Amino acid sequence: MSATIKDAYGEEINPNTGTSNKKLAMWAFLGSDVMFFGAFIATYLVYRNKSLVGPYPNEVLDLLLTSISTFVLLMSSVAMVLAIYYLRKSQLGWAKFWLLAVILLGLGFLGFQVYEFQHFVDVGLTPRVNIFGTTFFILTGFHGAHVAIGVIWLMMIMVGMQKGRIKKSSAHTMEIAGLYWHFVDVVWIVIFTLIYLVAGGDGAPTSIT
Amino acid sequence: MKNLLKYLVSFETRYSNRLPENSETHEPISAYEHPFGTLADRTKRWWGVLTSSHGHATATYYWMVALVLAVITLLEVWITLIGLVPWVVITGLIVLGLAKFALVAAFFMHLRFDHRTYTWVFVACMILGINIFVFMMLLIEFFGEFQ
């Protein structure tokens, strides 16, 4: 087993492969998460238009609200790359500022989701009411859980930066967290496109109207 | 930013009416004697400068990508609301969604700048994920019984 080479940002490169083992592991994990979400999205689409009772997607989904929350998550991705960029340049003040922005935007996105779920329950849509409710809550709920885990991870990094444990020489740690955060954003891009835009107008199946 | 713009347009400004010359003979290079001139080379160079920046993108560059992502999101909502034919809307949304996916993966997740192995690992898993998706849809469509 050969020794790894550490670069200025704490990235340990394996000389045999030219890659960082930690980063490769994270990409493999993200790849497995693609399959995880792929199964849930496929399930949602398979049971699309199959609910026998309402509420139906066109009665409850709010495109404007979700467009805003999508924008919030996209902006959090920008803040994330900027946080890493400034940490790599040793500008800790800016790095902390943008990391705080990511955390707040992530919490904002979760706030939108909690509001949306609460609204759905108020109008009678729960996971047990119909197949739309079951597949929708499972898919978006698991995505929300990913966001929540990301926010907690970033908070831990923020504490590490405050205590001086995370700096330019360990920027790689934040880069790994950044990969996870961007992936959560990418998954939402797919969910927003398929569930809210493509299938958002679904109503009652024609056989029961 | 100013230097970047200067660099990008300098070739065109200096040589707008001339074909690139062989550095030794000072003869025009015949390979460029076509209607597009040096367009392909310049496009390649623009792409290289804009996307690579010697391995590290700048903060301005990240903002440019963010602006494109925001515009694509607005476009998606717009084409959903203007009442086009369904297949046009669905095709448009899938293309725009893929564009956003690619932009985030390439630039925010650094696949464009990083070792190719990461890209291959992710692409391989994407193919498996898409297979799961497609086979699930096909199984339910042809063999599944609802209710």
Side-chain angles (χ1 to χ4, degrees):
Chain A
M1 189 174 160
S2 54
T4 53
I5 303 161
K6 209 170 195 173
D7 74 1
Y9 309 111
E11 186 168 354
E12 290 176 18
I13 306 290
N14 184 326
N16 294 324
T17 59
T19 58
S20 150
N21 291 350
K22 283 182 189 170
K23 201 185 265 188
L24 200 57
M26 177 47 87
W27 274 111
F29 164 71
L30 297 182
S32 71
D33 240 15
V34 167
M35 292 180 247
F36 180 79
F37 279 107
F40 284 132
I41 293 170
T43 308
Y44 182 92
L45 294 178
V46 160
Y47 290 117
R48 185 186 169 195
N49 273 329
K50 298 253 168 65
S51 291
L52 300 176
V53 293
Y56 301 108
N58 63 352
E59 295 167 356
V60 292
L61 295 183
D62 184 342
L63 189 57
L64 179 66
L65 184 85
T66 320
S67 302
I68 296 169
S69 69
T70 302
F71 185 73
V72 166
L73 200 59
L74 272 180
M75 288 305 105
S76 77
S77 259
V78 184
M80 188 75 232
V81 282
L82 291 172
I84 296 167
Y85 172 77
Y86 285 111
L87 185 63
R88 287 170 75 108
K89 287 175 78 85
S90 269
Q91 296 183 12
L92 283 182
W94 280 112
K96 283 178 191 170
F97 171 81
W98 287 113
L99 187 60
L100 183 64
V102 183
I103 292 168
L104 293 177
L105 288 166
L107 288 173
F109 177 83
L110 285 174
F112 274 110
Q113 198 162 36
V114 168
Y115 172 81
E116 189 185 38
F117 281 15
Q118 182 61 50
H119 169 69
F120 288 175
V121 171
D122 287 346
V123 297
L125 180 71
T126 65
R128 300 175 69 175
V129 166
N130 57 19
I131 197 76
F132 161 60
T134 310
T135 51
F136 177 85
F137 277 108
I138 286 179
L139 172 59
T140 54
F142 267 113
H143 179 266
H146 275 71
V147 176
I149 291 166
V151 168
I152 293 167
W153 189 354
L154 295 175
M155 281 176 173
M156 288 163 67
I157 288 178
M158 183 60 122
V159 172
M161 282 174 80
Q162 285 289 11
K163 291 190 172 178
R165 285 201 298 265
I166 293 179
K167 46 199 172 204
K168 181 184 174 180
S169 58
S170 48
H172 187 52
T173 310
M174 194 142 99
E175 208 181 326
I176 301 280
L179 284 178
Y180 175 83
W181 190 259
H182 296 309
F183 176 75
V184 166
D185 182 22
V186 158
V187 170
W188 187 253
I189 287 172
V190 178
I191 292 177
F192 176 66
T193 305
L194 293 178
I195 278 69
Y196 287 86
L197 296 176
V198 173
D202 292 350
T206 46
S207 57
I208 62 165
T209 50
Chain B
M1 192 67 189
K2 194 178 168 186
N3 286 340
L4 175 69
L5 285 172
K6 198 175 167 185
Y7 174 75
L8 289 171
V9 299
S10 62
F11 186 85
E12 178 65 16
T13 312
R14 282 184 279 129
Y15 297 103
S16 58
N17 295 316
R18 293 166 58 189
L19 287 174
E21 292 176 350
N22 185 311
S23 58
E24 289 175 5
T25 62
H26 298 288
E27 290 290 320
I29 300 171
S30 58
Y32 291 106
E33 289 177 5
H34 54 81
F36 301 106
T38 57
L39 185 66
D41 275 10
R42 277 185 289 129
T43 308
K44 197 175 167 189
R45 195 174 64 180
W46 274 56
W47 174 249
V49 170
L50 280 173
T51 61
S52 174
S53 181
H54 307 293
H56 298 287
T58 61
T60 314
Y61 184 64
Y62 288 133
W63 280 112
M64 283 165 65
V65 176
L67 185 67
V68 175
L69 288 171
V71 170
I72 294 177
T73 306
L74 282 176
L75 261 177
E76 284 180 328
V77 177
W78 183 67
I79 67 166
T80 309
L81 297 177
I82 56 172
L84 291 170
V85 189
W87 73 265
V88 175
V89 177
I90 291 171
T91 311
L93 288 175
I94 289 171
V95 169
L96 290 172
L98 284 176
K100 274 163 74 177
F101 188 105
L103 281 172
V104 174
F107 302 118
F108 286 178
M109 297 173 93
H110 277 195
L111 283 182
R112 171 79 178 105
F113 314 111
D114 267 342
H115 200 283
R116 284 289 161 87
T117 307
Y118 304 126
T119 308
W120 289 121
V121 168
F122 191 57
V123 168
C125 293
M126 283 284 296
I127 292 168
L128 281 173
I130 291 167
N131 275 334
I132 290 173
F133 181 88
V134 171
F135 279 104
M136 256 185 92
M137 300 288 275
L138 290 175
L139 276 173
I140 300 290
E141 188 64 32
F142 293 108
F143 302 107
E145 283 184 11
F146 187 73
Q147 294 161 26

